Amino acid sequence: MFGTTNPEQAISQLEAYHREGRSERAEVMASALVDQLMAQKPRDDATQDFLVRGLRILAAVLNSRGKYKRARTTIGILHKQRNILGKSIGHDFVAAAADYHLAGFIHSNAGKKRAAVKAFSKCEKLQPGHLAAALDMAEQCGNKKTLAKLVPQAGAVISKNGAFVLEIDSRPPADAKRIGEILGGEIQSDIERQITAIQSGEQAANARLQAAVDSLIPTHDYHEYSSNN
């Protein structure tokens, strides 16, 4: 199917099909591409990279189509093949974390909560401060420990792209309202208070960024400095 097609073009086409919701076609094509690349031995680094990307798409598509058993098998192969690629060209921990984030959903959807917790935890270990994975683990598996530990590190609520989020050091953010709902108590009250303050203009949409900008503003202007010298 892909014999005369540039693998990069094939991957781009698969990603487009997946985005557009053409899941059945994406599954057929991704399966064919993965089978073709797996059969190539030995594989150079470029081919290994295409295989990893193909496996990532296939795992996501299978999950979206409710084919959880096969998705679990595919995500396991993906972890192994990405590790092989990493040993050759250097590990991409952000991409690996994203794989385990997806794995958490796949295992959870398959009813394998213990495996899901392990995957979400691995994601946060590879990319410390991954609030999105911690929130998903709390919602999908009922395990709130990591989320409760990370929330204090996030600082103020941020208004970003029409949503209110919490974020740690530019790691993947998490929906602040959902965090409040699942943790409840004082955390929920504080989040709701901050959201109200942002909406009314009493709190900056991004307090951390505003503080950084303010720190760059001189405390004395040039004319005042000149008149005193």
Side-chain angles (χ1 to χ4, degrees), residues 190-217:
D190 183 54
I191 287 173
E192 291 176 349
R193 178 190 60 75
Q194 290 189 60
I195 290 174
T196 299
I198 291 172
Q199 291 173 327
S200 67
E202 295 176 13
Q203 178 174 316
N206 188 332
R208 187 178 300 170
L209 177 61
Q210 186 62 52
V213 171
D214 291 344
S215 71
L216 299 176
I217 300 175

Side-chain angles (χ1 to χ4, degrees), residues 168-180:
I168 300 174
D169 298 332
S170 299
R171 299 292 195 270
D175 186 281
K177 291 182 179 179
R178 286 166 53 199
I179 289 175

Side-chain angles (χ1 to χ4, degrees), residues 53-223:
R53 292 164 66 186
L55 283 164
R56 182 67 166 74
I57 295 170
L58 180 58
V61 169
L62 290 169
N63 181 57
S64 69
R65 302 198 70 209
K67 298 185 177 183
Y68 305 129
K69 183 176 181 179
R70 190 176 167 209
R72 293 187 74 210
T73 299
T74 302
I75 202 73
I77 297 171
L78 171 59
H79 294 326
K80 180 179 179 180
Q81 295 302 324
R82 188 179 293 283
N83 191 49
I84 291 172
L85 179 63
K87 288 180 179 179
S88 179
I89 67 172
H91 292 284
D92 183 342
F93 294 115
V94 172
D99 292 345
Y100 279 99
H101 195 185
L102 172 61
F105 282 108
I106 290 173
H107 295 313
S108 178
N109 289 336
K112 306 295 183 179
K113 299 300 182 183
R114 183 176 297 181
V117 168
K118 185 176 180 180
F120 284 130
S121 298
K122 181 72 171 181
C123 170
E124 201 278 325
K125 183 177 180 180
L126 288 168
Q127 198 175 11
H130 199 304
L131 266 175
L135 174 58
D136 291 328
M137 178 164 60
E139 291 181 332
Q140 297 288 319
C141 309
N143 189 320
K144 306 176 186 179
K145 185 177 179 180
T146 301
L147 181 62
K149 180 186 72 174
L150 292 179
V151 165
Q153 301 176 32
V157 172
I158 298 171
S159 177
K160 179 184 288 188
N161 300 322
F164 296 102
V165 302
L166 289 176
E167 180 181 271
I168 300 174
D169 298 332
S170 299
R171 299 292 195 270
D175 186 281
K177 291 182 179 179
R178 286 166 53 199
I179 289 175
E181 288 171 0
I182 199 159
L183 293 181
E186 292 184 8
I187 291 176
Q188 183 175 21
S189 298
D190 183 54
I191 287 173
E192 291 176 349
R193 178 190 60 75
Q194 290 189 60
I195 290 174
T196 299
I198 291 172
Q199 291 173 327
S200 67
E202 295 176 13
Q203 178 174 316
N206 188 332
R208 187 178 300 170
L209 177 61
Q210 186 62 52
V213 171
D214 291 344
S215 71
L216 299 176
I217 300 175
T219 55
H220 302 286
D221 65 33
Y222 175 78
H223 296 292

